[in-house]
Amino acid sequence: MNIYIADNLKLLRYKNGYSLEAIAEIISVSRQSVAKWEAGDSVPDLVNCVKLASLYKISLDELVNRALENVINNEFLLQDGRICGVLQIQPDRTIELPDSVMDMFGMQCGDKVLLLADRRQGIALVKCSN
């Protein structure tokens, strides 16, 4: 199994113009941790992987299992918005979509969405056109 996280982290940081210090500050780790991840000397824990994937707007699978050097120039990472944040289910069982997602899909309060659920694939929301 190939794990591409070290190469992907370095490529994404350069592509987005971040320094090691900036990434460390954004996700609240040391500069040395980020350097070790990019060198392949260690890997970020799951919480930090989620933060990094969210920052770069890619999925965890893309961050860890996919060589991005061939696709990064297509700008799909910046356009598609793979991960848009972490949502919390409220006690009344509601969730609030971030403004960035609402804007991305031209959604407004009151719009309907289709809920898709698969035990293996997860949960997805799709904007309904009618």
Side-chain angles (χ1 to χ4, degrees):
M1 173 165 84
N2 289 324
I3 297 179
Y4 298 98
I5 192 164
D7 293 335
N8 289 345
L9 288 175
K10 188 181 298 184
L11 179 68
L12 289 163
R13 183 172 62 79
Y14 286 138
K15 178 72 175 170
N16 288 279
Y18 290 116
S19 66
L20 288 171
E21 292 80 8
I23 295 298
E25 186 175 323
I26 290 167
I27 65 169
S28 302
V29 298
S30 70
R31 179 203 164 284
Q32 291 81 4
S33 292
V34 178
K36 286 182 180 181
W37 299 339
E38 289 186 5
D41 295 336
S42 66
V43 293
D45 64 19
L46 184 58
V47 170
N48 287 322
C49 282
V50 169
K51 289 178 183 179
L52 290 161
S54 180
L55 172 67
Y56 295 124
K57 297 181 176 148
I58 60 174
S59 71
L60 287 172
D61 184 56
E62 289 168 322
L63 179 65
V64 176
N65 293 321
R66 186 173 179 187
L68 296 178
E69 73 249 354
N70 296 326
V71 294
I72 195 108
N73 293 327
N74 293 337
E75 300 295 326
F76 85 97
L77 298 175
L78 301 175
Q79 293 175 19
D80 291 348
R82 303 292 185 178
I83 293 179
C84 298
V86 176
L87 303 177
Q88 182 174 4
I89 299 173
Q90 300 302 314
D92 65 353
R93 296 184 175 186
T94 61
I95 58 170
E96 184 174 321
L97 296 177
D99 289 339
S100 60
V101 172
M102 298 287 284
D103 294 343
M104 183 185 302
F105 292 99
M107 297 173 65
Q108 299 176 8
C109 291
D111 285 352
K112 293 188 178 186
V113 294
L114 175 65
L115 173 66
L116 304 172
D118 182 282
R119 290 181 196 256
R120 289 174 283 148
Q121 297 293 320
I123 298 171
L125 298 175
V126 179
K127 179 182 175 185
C128 293
S129 57
N130 293 344

